[in-house]
Amino acid sequence: MNNFTQITRYTIRDQMRHKSFYVLLGISILLVLMIRGCYNSEYMVNGKALDSIAVAWHVSRIVFQVIAAGMFLTAALLSMSIFSRDHADGSLVIFLSRSVFRWQYVFGRIIGTWILCLVFMFILHSTIFLTVWTKTGVIISGYLSASLISSLNLLFIIACVCLLSLFIPDFISVIFTLGILLVGFVSDGGYQIVNSDMLKSITPAVVNADPALWRILYPKVFMVQTYAGSFITKSEFNNMGPFHPLLNLFFFILLLMTLMLIRFNKKEV
C-alpha cells in the first residue's frame, strides 16, 4: 500500500511539473470569471425585467455542465499516454525493478491522474460557486456535491482510455472512448427528453416504450451527469432501468480496472 501511495503522489507531481498544466488551469479560471458579467446585467423579456438571481442560477447550471464536458476531454488527453510514455522513457522498468507489484503501479498511475483531474474540476466549479455567492448573495446548495458526483465520470474515462491504450494507439483510444460517451449521450439524453415534464405537457398522448436492454446496461456517464445536475436543480431524477447510474458506472470502472490489470500482467517489460 505504501508503494501505491508513493506512485499516486509521483503521478500527481509528474503532471504538475508541466507548465502547460498551470497555463491551462489559469486560462480555464479566467474563462469562468469572464461570465461574472452575466450576474450584473439586467435582462428584459417582453418589456419585463428578469430576476437576476434566476438568471445567475440558470447560467451556473449551464457552466457546470460545460466545465464537466471540458474535463472529460482533459482527462482523456492526460491519460492516453500514461503507459506508453513510461515504457518509452524507461520509467516503467524503474518502477517495476523495485519491490512494486504491477497492480500498485497500474492503480497508482490511474488514481493519481484521477485525483489531479478531480481537483482541477473542483477548483473550476468552486470558482463559479463563489462568483454566484459574491455577486448575488445566493448559495447554490448541492453545487459542490454535484461536482464530486460528476468526478466518477472522470475515473471511468481515465480507466477506459488506459485500458484501450494497451491494445490500440493512444490517440485512437481517446477517439474510441469519446465515441462510447457520444452513444451514451444520444441514448440516455433522448430518454431524458422523452420523459421530461416539458415534453409531457406539450404532447401528453405520447406513450413511452421501455428502453432496450443494451440501453439499460450501457455505461451511464450521461445519467450520472444528469443525476449530479439534479442536486443543483433539486428536481426529480428520471432513471433508466432498475440500476442506479452510480452503481452501473461503478461496476464498469471495476470491470475496466480488472481487465486492465489482467492485460498488464501479461505485458512484457
Side-chain angles (χ1 to χ4, degrees):
M1 186 56 70
N2 187 43
N3 290 330
F4 165 75
T5 304
Q6 289 181 350
I7 294 174
T8 301
R9 291 175 178 172
Y10 172 80
T11 301
I12 296 173
R13 289 199 304 269
D14 182 43
Q15 294 288 357
M16 293 184 67
R17 275 204 299 265
H18 301 290
K19 293 181 181 178
S20 58
F21 175 83
Y22 298 98
V23 172
L24 180 61
L25 180 60
I27 293 175
S28 300
I29 293 176
L30 184 62
L31 291 175
V32 171
L33 290 176
M34 286 175 66
I35 68 165
R36 69 185 186 279
C38 298
Y39 307 126
N40 296 327
S41 303
E42 294 183 357
Y43 299 92
M44 305 292 290
V45 176
N46 295 329
K48 296 182 179 179
L50 295 180
D51 184 357
S52 61
I53 295 178
V55 172
W57 185 73
H58 285 290
V59 171
S60 303
R61 286 178 53 198
I62 296 172
V63 175
F64 175 86
Q65 300 296 356
V66 171
I67 291 174
M71 285 307 306
F72 289 175
L73 181 60
T74 303
L77 294 176
L78 284 177
S79 54
M80 71 176 184
S81 58
I82 289 178
F83 298 138
S84 60
R85 185 177 63 246
D86 285 355
H87 187 271
D89 64 13
S91 299
L92 180 59
V93 177
I94 296 175
F95 277 123
L96 300 183
S97 62
R98 303 173 183 177
S99 56
V100 175
F101 294 108
R102 292 198 175 201
W103 72 265
Q104 292 173 327
Y105 165 76
V106 171
F107 290 174
R109 296 297 264 169
I110 298 294
I111 298 301
T113 305
W114 177 57
I115 291 175
L116 187 69
C117 293
L118 185 156
V119 172
F120 196 130
M121 184 170 70
F122 195 77
I123 290 174
L124 296 180
H125 281 153
S126 299
T127 302
I128 192 65
F129 171 81
L130 294 174
T131 301
V132 174
W133 185 14
T134 55
K135 290 293 182 181
T136 66
V138 174
I139 297 177
I140 304 178
S141 61
Y143 201 87
L144 300 182
S145 300
S147 179
L148 294 177
I149 292 173
S150 180
S151 67
L152 190 65
N153 282 332
L154 297 177
L155 182 56
F156 170 81
I157 292 170
I158 293 169
C160 189
V161 171
C162 287
L163 172 63
L164 292 174
S165 67
L166 294 175
F167 298 93
I168 56 181
D170 295 337
F171 187 72
I172 302 300
S173 67
V174 173
I175 298 297
F176 202 93
T177 300
L178 295 179
I180 293 174
L181 299 184
L182 179 62
V183 172
F185 276 39
V186 172
S187 173
D188 297 350
Y191 179 85
Q192 289 293 317
I193 292 174
V194 170
N195 288 276
S196 64
D197 294 335
M198 180 180 295
L199 186 63
K200 288 180 179 177
S201 63
I202 298 174
T203 56
V206 173
V207 178
N208 300 328
D210 293 333
L213 180 61
W214 74 268
R215 294 178 63 191
I216 295 175
L217 300 179
Y218 200 81
K220 297 298 176 197
V221 173
F222 181 86
M223 282 297 191
V224 169
Q225 204 60 35
T226 305
Y227 177 65
S230 69
F231 274 67
I232 301 174
T233 61
K234 305 296 183 185
S235 59
E236 183 181 358
F237 171 66
N238 295 318
N239 189 24
M240 179 193 291
F243 306 109
H244 195 280
L246 291 178
L247 184 63
N248 170 283
L249 207 61
F250 189 67
F251 167 78
F252 275 101
I253 291 172
L254 287 180
L255 178 63
L256 292 172
M257 299 284 266
T258 302
L259 294 175
M260 192 187 317
L261 194 58
I262 293 173
R263 171 61 180 169
F264 194 81
N265 281 334
K266 297 179 180 178
K267 185 179 179 65
E268 293 185 2
V269 179

